[in-house]
Amino acid sequence: MNCDSRVALIGIVVSDPSSVTRLNEYLHECAHYIIGRMGVPYEKAGVSIISVAIDAPQDVINTLSGKLGALKGVTSCLLYTSPSPRDRSLS
């Protein structure tokens, strides 16, 4: 992680499968920032749950989360890491 980036987790719940193509396009646009991703279909509830770990500038993360949350049948939630003591000593 460099000084201009943040590590975050984006939690995504998809209840409308018609939005999956666009969701994947948005994630692909940020592929070089994505550390990892995991998707779990939860058939009992009729949703898919996706978690995306990302290391990117804060504005990139916010923009991606906003785009995802604007899709029909998609909810996203963002969780940032706290700055580590190492990061504070660099500033």
Side-chain angles (χ1 to χ4, degrees), residues 5-90:
S5 68
R6 300 281 307 268
V7 174
L9 178 68
I10 304 174
I12 306 163
V13 178
V14 181
S15 60
D16 186 343
S18 70
S19 295
V20 171
T21 300
R22 178 67 70 180
L23 183 148
N24 284 321
E25 288 172 2
Y26 290 153
L27 293 178
H28 181 73
E29 290 170 7
C30 294
H32 56 286
Y33 295 115
I34 294 176
I35 301 165
R37 149 185 185 176
M38 178 181 64
V40 180
Y42 186 37
E43 293 176 9
K44 181 178 177 182
V47 298
S48 293
I49 303 163
I50 304 167
S51 61
V52 177
I54 188 167
D55 182 351
Q58 188 166 345
D59 61 329
V60 171
I61 297 169
N62 289 339
T63 299
L64 175 59
S65 182
K67 285 180 175 181
L68 296 172
L71 293 172
K72 178 183 173 196
V74 176
T75 303
S76 71
C77 181
L78 188 52
L79 176 67
Y80 281 103
T81 58
S82 299
S84 72
R86 179 190 63 84
D87 294 335
R88 282 183 245 136
S89 69
L90 295 174

